[in-house]
């Protein structure tokens, strides 16, 4: 499970300090394996709750790479750096750093995923440059959310973007991994399943989470 935690869209950029302990408990219950955490959110958690959620990594102006072992083979994960303006497009240097990090992982991993805070336009412009390096881009930042896209000019890359304010989550199931050095053809129902799942009244409430955050009616 992956997640983002960056600045909110509130005027001061972050929720009230008193909510940090609640957020920490909620994310701890979710059991995030690989989370992208902005510097401002990192300070908010540490100041208000004394620590950050397990599984999250502080990502500043430089890329952070990880290798995740799976029964089907190693998966490379690159947390893209935060741009000078959070949630928006990166510099050319940051793009090059993300490509270099992905290429390094591609040498040993069957699939490389990028976790991005660059916003719709920043990611869209990056996709053609990432062909042959990244197989999946998990987006974030400004712009529309969607279940998945396979752009015509970057057919080797599966692109997903979440909705804002936590209203929906992306679910991606990888049904197969490519052989080392080969590109995976993204075909829904064959090589992957993906959806943007809205957390509306149709989603049953988790009693353990409701204990932490309260019921919607409260």
């Amino acid at each position: 499970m992956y997640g983002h935690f960056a600045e909110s869209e509130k005027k001061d950029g972050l929720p009230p300090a008193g909510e940090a302990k609640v957020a920490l408990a909620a994310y701890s219950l979710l059991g995030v394996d690989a989370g992208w955490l902005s510097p401002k959110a990192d300070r908010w958690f540490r100041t208000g709750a004394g620590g950050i959620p397990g599984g999250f990594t502080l990502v500043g102006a430089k890329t952070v790479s990880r290798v995740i072992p799976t029964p089907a083979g190693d998966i490379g994960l690159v947390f893209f750096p935060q741009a000078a303006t959070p949630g928006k497009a990166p510099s050319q240097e940051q793009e090059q750093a993300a490509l270099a990090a992905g290429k390094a992982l591609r040498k040993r991993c069957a699939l490389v995923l990028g976790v991005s805070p660059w916003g719709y336009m920043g990611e869209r412009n990056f996709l053609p440059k990432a062909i042959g390096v990244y197989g999946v881009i998990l987006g974030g930042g400004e712009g529309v959310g969607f279940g998945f896209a396979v752009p015509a000019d970057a057919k080797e890359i599966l692109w997903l973007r979440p909705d804002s304010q936590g209203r929906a989550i992306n679910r991606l199931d990888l049904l197969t991994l490519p052989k080392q050095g080969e590109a995976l053809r993204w075909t829904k129902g064959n090589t992957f399943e993906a959806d943007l799942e809205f957390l509306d009244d149709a989603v049953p409430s988790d009693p353990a989470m409701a204990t932490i955050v309260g019921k919607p009616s409260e």
Side-chain angles (χ1 to χ4, degrees):
M1 179 179 181
Y2 96 99
H4 280 77
F5 194 98
E7 297 90 321
S8 74
E9 297 176 1
K10 295 185 179 182
K11 185 176 180 180
D12 61 359
L14 287 171
E19 294 182 10
K21 291 183 179 180
V22 174
L24 178 61
Y27 275 101
S28 297
L29 180 63
L30 290 175
V32 174
D33 296 302
W36 188 106
L37 191 68
S38 74
K40 189 179 288 188
D42 178 84
R43 292 192 297 272
W44 180 73
F45 271 117
R46 294 186 187 279
T47 300
I52 65 174
F56 276 79
T57 298
L58 170 62
V59 185
K62 296 183 178 181
T63 61
V64 179
S65 300
R66 291 180 57 183
V67 175
I68 301 176
T70 77
D74 288 345
I75 293 178
L77 183 67
V78 178
F79 292 115
F80 291 179
Q82 181 168 264
T85 301
K88 294 190 177 181
S91 66
Q92 290 185 355
E93 291 77 11
Q94 288 178 319
E95 284 190 339
Q96 291 303 311
L99 290 173
K103 288 176 182 177
L105 289 176
R106 189 67 185 265
K107 294 177 182 178
R108 60 165 292 189
C109 298
L111 184 68
V112 180
L113 289 77
V115 179
S116 165
W118 292 347
Y120 179 91
M121 289 307 301
E123 292 161 8
R124 185 66 189 86
N125 293 334
F126 179 72
L127 288 172
K129 305 172 188 178
I131 295 173
V133 179
Y134 287 94
V136 179
I137 300 292
L138 305 172
E142 288 189 345
V144 65
F146 45 79
F148 72 92
V150 181
D153 58 350
K155 292 182 179 180
E156 294 181 7
I157 301 175
L158 184 63
W159 182 27
L160 299 82
R161 286 186 50 81
D163 197 42
S164 65
Q165 300 297 307
R167 292 176 298 192
I169 59 172
N170 287 99
R171 180 183 62 82
L172 170 62
D173 298 320
L174 298 173
L175 305 182
T176 185
L177 289 181
K179 295 180 180 179
Q180 189 70 34
E182 292 184 357
L184 187 62
R185 294 192 178 187
W186 296 112
T187 306
K188 193 173 190 295
N190 184 14
T191 57
F192 78 98
E193 290 287 355
D195 288 293
L196 185 63
E197 298 185 352
F198 283 85
L199 303 179
D200 53 24
D201 292 340
V203 178
S205 177
D206 181 347
M209 185 63 76
T211 299
I212 296 171
V213 303
K215 297 180 180 179
S217 60
E218 294 180 349

